[in-house]
Short mmCIF file of all heavy atoms in Angstrom, two decimals:
data_model
loop_
_atom_site.label_atom_id
_atom_site.label_comp_id
_atom_site.label_asym_id
_atom_site.label_seq_id
_atom_site.Cartn_x
_atom_site.Cartn_y
_atom_site.Cartn_z
N MET A 1 80.15 61.81 122.73
CA MET A 1 79.49 63.11 122.80
C MET A 1 77.98 62.94 122.69
O MET A 1 77.49 62.17 121.87
CB MET A 1 79.98 64.00 121.66
CG MET A 1 79.29 65.34 121.61
SD MET A 1 79.58 66.19 120.05
CE MET A 1 81.32 66.53 120.15
N LYS A 2 77.28 63.66 123.54
CA LYS A 2 75.82 63.67 123.47
C LYS A 2 75.39 65.01 122.88
O LYS A 2 75.85 66.06 123.29
CB LYS A 2 75.25 63.48 124.87
CG LYS A 2 73.74 63.60 124.92
CD LYS A 2 73.13 62.30 125.39
CE LYS A 2 71.63 62.50 125.63
NZ LYS A 2 70.85 61.80 124.64
N VAL A 3 74.47 64.93 121.92
CA VAL A 3 74.02 66.13 121.21
C VAL A 3 72.55 66.37 121.53
O VAL A 3 71.71 65.48 121.36
CB VAL A 3 74.17 65.96 119.68
CG1 VAL A 3 73.72 67.22 118.96
CG2 VAL A 3 75.60 65.61 119.31
N THR A 4 72.27 67.56 122.01
CA THR A 4 70.87 67.95 122.22
C THR A 4 70.66 69.35 121.67
O THR A 4 71.61 70.12 121.50
CB THR A 4 70.48 67.93 123.71
OG1 THR A 4 71.37 68.76 124.44
CG2 THR A 4 70.51 66.52 124.27
N VAL A 5 69.41 69.66 121.37
CA VAL A 5 69.06 70.99 120.88
C VAL A 5 67.96 71.56 121.76
O VAL A 5 66.97 70.88 122.06
CB VAL A 5 68.59 70.94 119.41
CG1 VAL A 5 68.02 72.29 118.98
CG2 VAL A 5 69.74 70.54 118.50
N ASP A 6 68.18 72.79 122.19
CA ASP A 6 67.15 73.51 122.95
C ASP A 6 66.15 74.08 121.94
O ASP A 6 66.40 75.09 121.29
CB ASP A 6 67.81 74.63 123.77
CG ASP A 6 66.80 75.34 124.66
OD1 ASP A 6 65.58 75.28 124.37
OD2 ASP A 6 67.24 75.99 125.63
N LEU A 7 65.04 73.39 121.80
CA LEU A 7 64.06 73.77 120.78
C LEU A 7 63.40 75.11 121.10
O LEU A 7 62.84 75.75 120.21
CB LEU A 7 63.02 72.67 120.62
CG LEU A 7 63.57 71.35 120.08
CD1 LEU A 7 62.48 70.29 120.05
CD2 LEU A 7 64.19 71.53 118.71
N ASP A 8 63.47 75.54 122.35
CA ASP A 8 62.92 76.86 122.69
C ASP A 8 63.80 77.97 122.11
O ASP A 8 63.31 79.08 121.87
CB ASP A 8 62.82 77.02 124.20
CG ASP A 8 61.73 76.15 124.79
OD1 ASP A 8 60.78 75.82 124.06
OD2 ASP A 8 61.84 75.79 125.97
N LYS A 9 65.09 77.68 121.90
CA LYS A 9 65.99 78.67 121.34
C LYS A 9 66.08 78.57 119.82
O LYS A 9 66.33 79.57 119.14
CB LYS A 9 67.41 78.50 121.92
CG LYS A 9 67.54 78.85 123.38
CD LYS A 9 68.99 78.71 123.81
CE LYS A 9 69.20 79.09 125.25
NZ LYS A 9 70.61 78.87 125.67
N CYS A 10 65.91 77.38 119.27
CA CYS A 10 66.10 77.13 117.83
C CYS A 10 65.14 77.99 117.01
O CYS A 10 63.95 78.06 117.30
CB CYS A 10 65.86 75.66 117.53
SG CYS A 10 65.94 75.26 115.78
N GLU A 11 65.70 78.63 115.96
CA GLU A 11 64.88 79.47 115.08
C GLU A 11 64.72 78.84 113.69
O GLU A 11 64.36 79.51 112.74
CB GLU A 11 65.46 80.87 114.98
CG GLU A 11 66.86 80.91 114.36
CD GLU A 11 67.44 82.32 114.30
OE1 GLU A 11 66.94 83.21 115.00
OE2 GLU A 11 68.41 82.51 113.55
N GLN A 12 65.03 77.56 113.57
CA GLN A 12 64.79 76.77 112.36
C GLN A 12 65.39 77.40 111.10
O GLN A 12 64.77 77.41 110.04
CB GLN A 12 63.29 76.53 112.14
CG GLN A 12 62.60 75.75 113.22
CD GLN A 12 62.05 76.63 114.32
OE1 GLN A 12 61.64 77.76 114.09
NE2 GLN A 12 62.03 76.12 115.54
N ASN A 13 66.62 77.88 111.21
CA ASN A 13 67.24 78.50 110.04
C ASN A 13 68.07 77.52 109.22
O ASN A 13 68.65 77.90 108.20
CB ASN A 13 68.09 79.70 110.46
CG ASN A 13 69.16 79.29 111.46
OD1 ASN A 13 69.58 78.15 111.51
ND2 ASN A 13 69.59 80.23 112.28
N ALA A 14 68.16 76.28 109.67
CA ALA A 14 68.79 75.19 108.90
C ALA A 14 70.30 75.33 108.72
O ALA A 14 70.87 74.65 107.88
CB ALA A 14 68.12 75.02 107.54
N LEU A 15 70.94 76.16 109.51
CA LEU A 15 72.40 76.24 109.40
C LEU A 15 73.04 74.92 109.81
O LEU A 15 73.95 74.43 109.14
CB LEU A 15 72.93 77.38 110.28
CG LEU A 15 72.63 78.80 109.77
CD1 LEU A 15 73.08 79.83 110.79
CD2 LEU A 15 73.32 79.03 108.44
N CYS A 16 72.58 74.36 110.90
CA CYS A 16 73.20 73.11 111.38
C CYS A 16 72.94 71.94 110.43
O CYS A 16 73.80 71.08 110.25
CB CYS A 16 72.71 72.78 112.78
SG CYS A 16 70.92 72.59 112.92
N THR A 17 71.77 71.91 109.83
CA THR A 17 71.47 70.79 108.93
C THR A 17 72.35 70.85 107.69
O THR A 17 72.67 69.81 107.11
CB THR A 17 69.99 70.81 108.52
OG1 THR A 17 69.70 72.01 107.80
CG2 THR A 17 69.09 70.73 109.74
N GLY A 18 72.74 72.05 107.28
CA GLY A 18 73.64 72.15 106.14
C GLY A 18 75.05 71.71 106.47
O GLY A 18 75.75 71.18 105.62
N ILE A 19 75.47 71.90 107.72
CA ILE A 19 76.84 71.56 108.12
C ILE A 19 76.95 70.09 108.52
O ILE A 19 77.94 69.43 108.20
CB ILE A 19 77.27 72.48 109.29
CG1 ILE A 19 77.33 73.93 108.81
CG2 ILE A 19 78.62 72.04 109.84
CD1 ILE A 19 77.50 74.95 109.92
N ALA A 20 75.96 69.58 109.21
CA ALA A 20 75.99 68.19 109.69
C ALA A 20 74.66 67.50 109.39
O ALA A 20 73.86 67.22 110.29
CB ALA A 20 76.31 68.15 111.19
N PRO A 21 74.41 67.21 108.12
CA PRO A 21 73.08 66.71 107.72
C PRO A 21 72.75 65.30 108.22
O PRO A 21 71.57 64.93 108.20
CB PRO A 21 73.14 66.76 106.19
CG PRO A 21 74.59 66.73 105.86
CD PRO A 21 75.29 67.44 106.98
N THR A 22 73.76 64.55 108.64
CA THR A 22 73.44 63.22 109.16
C THR A 22 73.07 63.27 110.64
O THR A 22 72.64 62.26 111.20
CB THR A 22 74.62 62.25 108.97
OG1 THR A 22 75.74 62.72 109.73
CG2 THR A 22 74.98 62.12 107.50
N VAL A 23 73.24 64.43 111.25
CA VAL A 23 72.95 64.57 112.69
C VAL A 23 71.70 65.42 112.93
O VAL A 23 70.91 65.12 113.83
CB VAL A 23 74.16 65.19 113.42
CG1 VAL A 23 73.85 65.40 114.90
CG2 VAL A 23 75.38 64.30 113.25
N PHE A 24 71.54 66.46 112.10
CA PHE A 24 70.42 67.38 112.29
C PHE A 24 69.52 67.36 111.06
O PHE A 24 70.00 67.35 109.93
CB PHE A 24 70.93 68.82 112.50
CG PHE A 24 71.89 68.97 113.64
CD1 PHE A 24 73.25 69.08 113.42
CD2 PHE A 24 71.44 69.01 114.96
CE1 PHE A 24 74.15 69.22 114.46
CE2 PHE A 24 72.33 69.14 116.01
CZ PHE A 24 73.69 69.25 115.77
N GLU A 25 68.22 67.39 111.30
CA GLU A 25 67.27 67.41 110.19
C GLU A 25 66.15 68.39 110.50
O GLU A 25 65.62 68.43 111.62
CB GLU A 25 66.68 66.01 109.97
CG GLU A 25 65.71 65.95 108.81
CD GLU A 25 65.17 64.55 108.62
OE1 GLU A 25 64.35 64.11 109.46
OE2 GLU A 25 65.60 63.89 107.67
N LEU A 26 65.78 69.15 109.47
CA LEU A 26 64.65 70.07 109.60
C LEU A 26 63.50 69.51 108.78
O LEU A 26 63.63 69.31 107.57
CB LEU A 26 65.05 71.46 109.12
CG LEU A 26 64.17 72.63 109.54
CD1 LEU A 26 64.12 72.77 111.05
CD2 LEU A 26 64.67 73.91 108.91
N SER A 27 62.38 69.27 109.41
CA SER A 27 61.24 68.68 108.72
C SER A 27 60.54 69.74 107.88
O SER A 27 60.74 70.95 108.09
CB SER A 27 60.27 68.09 109.73
OG SER A 27 59.66 69.14 110.46
N PRO A 28 59.70 69.32 106.94
CA PRO A 28 58.97 70.29 106.11
C PRO A 28 58.12 71.25 106.94
O PRO A 28 57.85 72.37 106.49
CB PRO A 28 58.10 69.40 105.22
CG PRO A 28 58.85 68.12 105.15
CD PRO A 28 59.48 67.94 106.50
N ASP A 29 57.73 70.85 108.13
CA ASP A 29 56.95 71.77 108.96
C ASP A 29 57.83 72.50 109.99
O ASP A 29 57.35 72.98 111.01
CB ASP A 29 55.81 71.03 109.66
CG ASP A 29 56.30 69.96 110.61
OD1 ASP A 29 57.52 69.63 110.57
OD2 ASP A 29 55.50 69.44 111.39
N ASP A 30 59.15 72.60 109.66
CA ASP A 30 60.09 73.39 110.44
C ASP A 30 60.27 72.90 111.87
O ASP A 30 60.34 73.70 112.81
CB ASP A 30 59.68 74.87 110.45
CG ASP A 30 60.14 75.59 109.19
OD1 ASP A 30 60.96 75.02 108.45
OD2 ASP A 30 59.69 76.72 108.98
N HIS A 31 60.40 71.62 112.03
CA HIS A 31 60.72 71.06 113.34
C HIS A 31 62.10 70.43 113.26
O HIS A 31 62.36 69.58 112.41
CB HIS A 31 59.69 70.00 113.74
CG HIS A 31 59.95 69.43 115.10
ND1 HIS A 31 59.55 70.06 116.26
CD2 HIS A 31 60.60 68.32 115.47
CE1 HIS A 31 59.94 69.33 117.29
NE2 HIS A 31 60.58 68.27 116.85
N LEU A 32 63.00 70.90 114.11
CA LEU A 32 64.36 70.38 114.10
C LEU A 32 64.43 69.09 114.91
O LEU A 32 63.92 69.01 116.02
CB LEU A 32 65.35 71.39 114.68
CG LEU A 32 66.80 70.94 114.49
CD1 LEU A 32 67.25 71.17 113.07
CD2 LEU A 32 67.71 71.59 115.48
N THR A 33 65.08 68.09 114.32
CA THR A 33 65.25 66.80 114.98
C THR A 33 66.74 66.46 115.01
O THR A 33 67.45 66.69 114.03
CB THR A 33 64.51 65.70 114.20
OG1 THR A 33 63.13 66.01 114.17
CG2 THR A 33 64.69 64.34 114.87
N VAL A 34 67.18 65.92 116.14
CA VAL A 34 68.52 65.36 116.22
C VAL A 34 68.41 63.90 115.79
O VAL A 34 67.81 63.07 116.49
CB VAL A 34 69.10 65.48 117.65
CG1 VAL A 34 70.48 64.85 117.71
CG2 VAL A 34 69.16 66.94 118.08
N LEU A 35 68.95 63.59 114.63
CA LEU A 35 68.83 62.24 114.08
C LEU A 35 69.71 61.26 114.84
O LEU A 35 69.39 60.08 114.93
CB LEU A 35 69.24 62.23 112.61
CG LEU A 35 68.41 63.10 111.67
CD1 LEU A 35 69.06 63.12 110.28
CD2 LEU A 35 66.99 62.57 111.57
N ASP A 36 70.84 61.76 115.32
CA ASP A 36 71.83 60.88 115.97
C ASP A 36 72.38 61.63 117.17
O ASP A 36 73.23 62.49 117.02
CB ASP A 36 72.93 60.54 114.96
CG ASP A 36 73.95 59.58 115.53
OD1 ASP A 36 73.82 59.19 116.71
OD2 ASP A 36 74.88 59.21 114.79
N ASP A 37 71.85 61.33 118.35
CA ASP A 37 72.26 62.12 119.53
C ASP A 37 73.52 61.57 120.21
O ASP A 37 73.97 62.11 121.21
CB ASP A 37 71.11 62.25 120.53
CG ASP A 37 70.75 60.93 121.20
OD1 ASP A 37 71.36 59.91 120.86
OD2 ASP A 37 69.84 60.95 122.04
N ASN A 38 74.08 60.50 119.66
CA ASN A 38 75.34 59.96 120.19
C ASN A 38 76.22 59.57 119.00
O ASN A 38 76.51 58.39 118.79
CB ASN A 38 75.06 58.76 121.10
CG ASN A 38 76.29 58.30 121.85
OD1 ASN A 38 77.27 59.03 121.95
ND2 ASN A 38 76.25 57.08 122.35
N PRO A 39 76.63 60.56 118.22
CA PRO A 39 77.28 60.27 116.93
C PRO A 39 78.72 59.76 117.09
O PRO A 39 79.36 59.98 118.13
CB PRO A 39 77.25 61.62 116.22
CG PRO A 39 77.18 62.61 117.32
CD PRO A 39 76.41 61.97 118.43
N ASP A 40 79.19 59.12 116.03
CA ASP A 40 80.57 58.64 116.00
C ASP A 40 81.54 59.81 116.11
O ASP A 40 81.25 60.93 115.69
CB ASP A 40 80.86 57.90 114.69
CG ASP A 40 80.11 56.58 114.62
OD1 ASP A 40 79.68 56.06 115.69
OD2 ASP A 40 79.94 56.07 113.50
N ASP A 41 82.74 59.51 116.63
CA ASP A 41 83.74 60.55 116.85
C ASP A 41 84.13 61.26 115.56
O ASP A 41 84.52 62.43 115.60
CB ASP A 41 85.00 59.96 117.50
CG ASP A 41 84.76 59.58 118.95
OD1 ASP A 41 83.73 60.00 119.52
OD2 ASP A 41 85.62 58.87 119.51
N ASP A 42 84.03 60.57 114.43
CA ASP A 42 84.47 61.22 113.18
C ASP A 42 83.55 62.37 112.79
O ASP A 42 83.89 63.19 111.94
CB ASP A 42 84.62 60.22 112.04
CG ASP A 42 83.32 59.50 111.72
OD1 ASP A 42 82.41 59.50 112.56
OD2 ASP A 42 83.25 58.94 110.61
N LEU A 43 82.39 62.46 113.41
CA LEU A 43 81.47 63.56 113.14
C LEU A 43 81.68 64.75 114.07
O LEU A 43 81.08 65.81 113.88
CB LEU A 43 80.02 63.08 113.26
CG LEU A 43 79.54 62.13 112.16
CD1 LEU A 43 78.19 61.55 112.51
CD2 LEU A 43 79.49 62.84 110.82
N THR A 44 82.55 64.58 115.05
CA THR A 44 82.75 65.64 116.04
C THR A 44 83.10 66.99 115.41
O THR A 44 82.51 68.01 115.79
CB THR A 44 83.82 65.22 117.07
OG1 THR A 44 83.34 64.07 117.76
CG2 THR A 44 84.11 66.33 118.07
N PRO A 45 84.04 67.04 114.45
CA PRO A 45 84.37 68.37 113.88
C PRO A 45 83.17 69.06 113.25
O PRO A 45 82.98 70.28 113.44
CB PRO A 45 85.45 68.04 112.84
CG PRO A 45 86.07 66.77 113.33
CD PRO A 45 84.92 65.98 113.92
N SER A 46 82.35 68.32 112.51
CA SER A 46 81.21 68.97 111.85
C SER A 46 80.15 69.36 112.87
O SER A 46 79.49 70.40 112.74
CB SER A 46 80.64 68.08 110.75
OG SER A 46 80.16 66.87 111.28
N ILE A 47 79.99 68.58 113.92
CA ILE A 47 79.02 68.93 114.95
C ILE A 47 79.48 70.17 115.72
O ILE A 47 78.67 71.07 116.01
CB ILE A 47 78.79 67.75 115.90
CG1 ILE A 47 78.14 66.61 115.14
CG2 ILE A 47 77.93 68.16 117.09
CD1 ILE A 47 78.14 65.30 115.87
N ARG A 48 80.76 70.24 116.01
CA ARG A 48 81.28 71.45 116.68
C ARG A 48 81.11 72.66 115.78
O ARG A 48 80.79 73.76 116.26
CB ARG A 48 82.76 71.25 117.04
CG ARG A 48 82.97 70.30 118.19
CD ARG A 48 84.42 70.40 118.69
NE ARG A 48 84.71 69.40 119.69
CZ ARG A 48 84.31 69.46 120.95
NH1 ARG A 48 83.59 70.47 121.35
NH2 ARG A 48 84.62 68.50 121.80
N ALA A 49 81.32 72.48 114.49
CA ALA A 49 81.14 73.60 113.55
C ALA A 49 79.67 74.02 113.51
O ALA A 49 79.37 75.22 113.45
CB ALA A 49 81.62 73.18 112.16
N ALA A 50 78.78 73.07 113.54
CA ALA A 50 77.35 73.39 113.54
C ALA A 50 76.98 74.14 114.81
O ALA A 50 76.23 75.14 114.77
CB ALA A 50 76.52 72.11 113.42
N ALA A 51 77.50 73.69 115.93
CA ALA A 51 77.20 74.37 117.20
C ALA A 51 77.75 75.79 117.20
O ALA A 51 77.10 76.73 117.69
CB ALA A 51 77.78 73.56 118.37
N ALA A 52 78.94 75.96 116.62
CA ALA A 52 79.54 77.30 116.57
C ALA A 52 78.77 78.21 115.63
O ALA A 52 78.71 79.43 115.84
CB ALA A 52 81.00 77.19 116.13
N ALA A 53 78.18 77.64 114.58
CA ALA A 53 77.45 78.43 113.59
C ALA A 53 76.05 78.81 114.06
O ALA A 53 75.46 79.75 113.52
CB ALA A 53 77.36 77.66 112.28
N CYS A 54 75.54 78.09 115.03
CA CYS A 54 74.16 78.34 115.46
C CYS A 54 74.07 79.72 116.11
O CYS A 54 74.70 79.97 117.15
CB CYS A 54 73.72 77.27 116.46
SG CYS A 54 72.05 77.59 117.10
N PRO A 55 73.29 80.62 115.54
CA PRO A 55 73.22 81.97 116.09
C PRO A 55 72.47 82.06 117.41
O PRO A 55 72.51 83.09 118.08
CB PRO A 55 72.49 82.75 114.99
CG PRO A 55 71.68 81.73 114.28
CD PRO A 55 72.46 80.44 114.35
N ARG A 56 71.78 80.99 117.77
CA ARG A 56 71.00 80.99 119.01
C ARG A 56 71.66 80.20 120.13
O ARG A 56 71.09 80.03 121.19
CB ARG A 56 69.60 80.44 118.74
CG ARG A 56 68.82 81.20 117.68
CD ARG A 56 68.57 82.65 118.12
NE ARG A 56 67.86 82.69 119.37
CZ ARG A 56 66.52 82.77 119.49
NH1 ARG A 56 65.79 82.87 118.41
NH2 ARG A 56 65.96 82.79 120.65
N GLN A 57 72.83 79.66 119.85
CA GLN A 57 73.52 78.78 120.83
C GLN A 57 72.56 77.70 121.33
O GLN A 57 72.52 77.39 122.54
CB GLN A 57 74.09 79.58 122.01
CG GLN A 57 75.30 80.42 121.65
CD GLN A 57 74.92 81.78 121.09
OE1 GLN A 57 74.08 82.47 121.68
NE2 GLN A 57 75.48 82.18 119.97
N ALA A 58 71.82 77.12 120.41
CA ALA A 58 70.80 76.13 120.78
C ALA A 58 71.32 74.71 120.82
O ALA A 58 70.65 73.82 121.33
CB ALA A 58 69.63 76.22 119.81
N ILE A 59 72.50 74.50 120.24
CA ILE A 59 73.06 73.14 120.19
C ILE A 59 73.95 72.91 121.40
O ILE A 59 74.91 73.64 121.62
CB ILE A 59 73.84 72.93 118.88
CG1 ILE A 59 72.92 73.11 117.68
CG2 ILE A 59 74.50 71.54 118.87
CD1 ILE A 59 73.64 73.12 116.34
N LEU A 60 73.62 71.90 122.17
CA LEU A 60 74.34 71.61 123.41
C LEU A 60 75.11 70.31 123.24
O LEU A 60 74.54 69.28 122.85
CB LEU A 60 73.35 71.48 124.56
CG LEU A 60 72.35 72.64 124.70
CD1 LEU A 60 71.34 72.34 125.79
CD2 LEU A 60 73.08 73.95 124.97
N LEU A 61 76.41 70.37 123.53
CA LEU A 61 77.28 69.20 123.41
C LEU A 61 77.79 68.86 124.79
O LEU A 61 78.36 69.71 125.47
CB LEU A 61 78.45 69.50 122.47
CG LEU A 61 78.08 70.09 121.10
CD1 LEU A 61 79.33 70.39 120.30
CD2 LEU A 61 77.15 69.15 120.35
N THR A 62 77.59 67.63 125.21
CA THR A 62 78.04 67.21 126.53
C THR A 62 78.86 65.94 126.41
O THR A 62 78.71 65.16 125.46
CB THR A 62 76.85 66.96 127.47
OG1 THR A 62 75.96 66.04 126.87
CG2 THR A 62 76.11 68.25 127.77
N GLY A 63 79.73 65.76 127.36
CA GLY A 63 80.57 64.57 127.37
C GLY A 63 81.61 64.58 126.28
O GLY A 63 82.13 63.53 125.89
N ALA A 64 81.94 65.77 125.78
CA ALA A 64 82.89 65.87 124.67
C ALA A 64 84.29 66.11 125.19
O ALA A 64 84.46 66.63 126.27
CB ALA A 64 82.48 66.99 123.74
S1 SF4 B 101 71.64 76.26 113.62
FE1 SF4 B 101 70.64 76.53 115.63
S2 SF4 B 101 68.89 77.84 115.26
FE2 SF4 B 101 69.54 77.01 113.29
S3 SF4 B 101 68.28 75.18 112.97
FE3 SF4 B 101 70.21 74.55 113.94
S4 SF4 B 101 69.78 74.55 116.16
FE4 SF4 B 101 68.17 75.74 115.17
#
């Protein structure tokens, strides 16, 4: 699975970082970073949960 975030949609509310903290990180200056854009399969459930929780539909999952 490839994980990307549409930063134009992201509103930096940190929902995804709380659900999948090893994949998503919010910097002190409110910039969202994908720490691991090709994560192991065991992280798939938490990444899907993060994508579902994102109110802006900013998390894009491909090849899943
Ligand atoms: S849940 Fe969505 S809007 Fe919130 S920080 Fe993550 S990508 Fe951005």
Side-chain angles (χ1 to χ4, degrees):
M1 176 194 293
K2 175 119 172 110
V3 181
T4 56
V5 171
D6 184 339
L7 295 176
D8 289 334
K9 291 183 178 177
C10 175
E11 62 182 17
Q12 298 90 32
N13 58 25
L15 288 174
C16 58
T17 62
I19 295 170
T22 63
V23 178
F24 304 102
E25 181 179 72
L26 198 60
S27 69
D29 63 349
D30 278 348
H31 182 82
L32 188 78
T33 300
V34 178
L35 299 173
D36 183 359
D37 68 358
N38 189 17
D40 291 340
D41 288 347
D42 60 342
L43 290 171
T44 297
S46 62
I47 295 167
R48 287 192 186 285
C54 177
R56 301 298 302 267
Q57 289 85 48
I59 299 172
L60 310 175
L61 309 178
T62 54

